[in-house]
Amino acid sequence: MDPSQKSFLGARLFVIAALALTAWALVFKTGVANTDEAGIVLQLPAQVGDWDGLDLLFCPDRNCGGQYLAARLETPGVCPRCGAALGNMNWAERAMLPKDTGMVRKYYARAGNRDGIHASIVLSGDDRSSIHRPQVCMTASGHEIVREQVIRIPLEERAAPLEVMVMDMSRSTTNSDGTPAIQTTFYAYWFVGKDRETASHIVRMAWMAYDRVVHGVSHRWAYIALSGARDPASNAHFQTIADFASRLHPALLKPD
Ligand SMILES: [Zn+2]
């Protein structure tokens, strides 16, 4: 059995156990308190290993849809195309996410603009509905998920590896001369709650139900996503994701 299958079996058993416990606790416990506690810091470092990070800004106007590297703007914070004030969410995110959702993002690249990675952290606000099943957003935006698997990334700071869900995606597009082309990308993610971490959306939902019912609390969960281009003929992006995520992970830990 390959490691990703084993991890999924474990996840299923956990979900069943958590639901059983939740059902039991429902009988005995009442009342849920929202806490402001999150499992990570809402901040992306300026550097991750040998990657340098750049700030990205988005125009809130749906018809404009401009996105810019902050450092290259002539007038800071203003859309050069339409004059709107730029922010860190695009129009779709602004429309879909509750107002108190926290979000940070950066574009990272190695020397010579190699191995470019868009990194983002979404931290749920009070109503906890900020985080969706990522697959839904991807297919809605025209991406086809070609393959989906969990990779296990060794970490220096602890014995247990970091589990990250990697989706290989492709999308039909056109070249500048009008000929059809296929764009191949990856989208990788994991979730972090207070003292919790998982690559599975279902496991995250089970933890939320468990904490709500058994401990009477609802913590703020964070969703960490990495995306970039991939070579369709190789798995080289797995190593790129592992190199990046293993260096990002310690930078997101909360100081005790
Ligand atoms: Zn604009």
Side-chain angles (χ1 to χ4, degrees):
M1 194 175 353
D2 82 46
S4 60
Q5 275 177 346
K6 195 172 160 195
S7 153
F8 268 118
L9 181 64
R12 278 200 195 107
L13 289 173
F14 168 74
V15 169
I16 291 164
L19 290 178
L21 240 171
T22 301
W24 165 80
L26 268 173
V27 181
F28 299 100
K29 300 237 181 188
T30 50
V32 175
N34 270 3
T35 74
D36 278 334
E37 288 191 87
I40 56 160
V41 293
L42 185 59
Q43 200 181 324
L44 283 164
Q47 267 106 33
V48 175
D50 56 352
W51 275 268
D52 282 319
L54 294 165
D55 285 316
L56 289 171
L57 288 173
F58 296 82
C59 181
D61 185 335
R62 180 177 184 168
N63 296 319
C64 174
Q67 52 174 292
Y68 311 96
L69 289 170
R72 301 219 180 123
L73 289 167
E74 254 172 58
T75 314
V78 177
C79 180
R81 222 183 295 170
C82 74
L86 300 173
N88 67 348
M89 291 186 192
N90 63 34
W91 68 266
E93 290 159 348
R94 244 176 232 248
M96 274 169 32
L97 298 174
K99 285 277 175 286
D100 60 348
T101 303
M103 181 165 190
V104 291
R105 67 189 340 148
K106 273 191 199 310
Y107 173 74
Y108 290 92
R110 279 173 155 161
N113 201 22
R114 283 180 309 113
D115 298 336
I117 292 179
H118 281 98
S120 66
I121 306 175
V122 172
L123 184 64
S124 65
D126 269 342
D127 76 355
R128 311 292 191 244
S129 70
S130 313
I131 300 176
H132 305 89
R133 196 166 162 265
Q135 285 78 352
V136 175
C137 305
M138 284 302 132
T139 45
S141 58
H143 290 96
E144 186 197 340
I145 301 164
V146 184
R147 181 172 59 162
E148 225 181 317
Q149 72 180 82
V150 172
I151 62 170
R152 313 181 89 205
I153 302 171
L155 294 175
E156 266 175 32
E157 65 269 21
R158 69 170 198 219
L162 168 66
E163 295 194 350
V164 175
M165 180 72 81
V166 181
M167 298 192 290
D168 288 358
M169 295 184 303
S170 72
R171 181 159 76 154
S172 301
T173 177
T174 44
N175 293 316
S176 50
D177 64 0
T179 54
I182 299 286
Q183 184 187 37
T184 53
T185 55
F186 68 82
Y187 190 88
Y189 64 88
W190 72 99
F191 302 98
V192 182
K194 188 177 183 296
D195 306 321
R196 316 260 187 247
E197 184 188 277
T198 178
S200 160
H201 177 74
I202 302 290
V203 170
R204 183 183 76 86
M205 298 300 278
W207 273 127
M208 277 181 82
Y210 177 88
D211 282 342
R212 211 168 249 275
V213 174
V214 177
H215 296 134
V217 294
S218 172
H219 297 299
R220 302 183 73 181
W221 276 80
Y223 164 46
I224 297 142
L226 311 175
S227 60
R230 70 178 170 89
D231 174 358
S234 87
N235 284 333
H237 59 298
F238 287 174
Q239 192 57 52
T240 308
I241 293 166
D243 287 349
F244 187 88
S246 64
R247 287 164 180 87
L248 177 62
H249 189 271
L252 300 182
L253 297 177
K254 289 190 102 171
D256 285 321

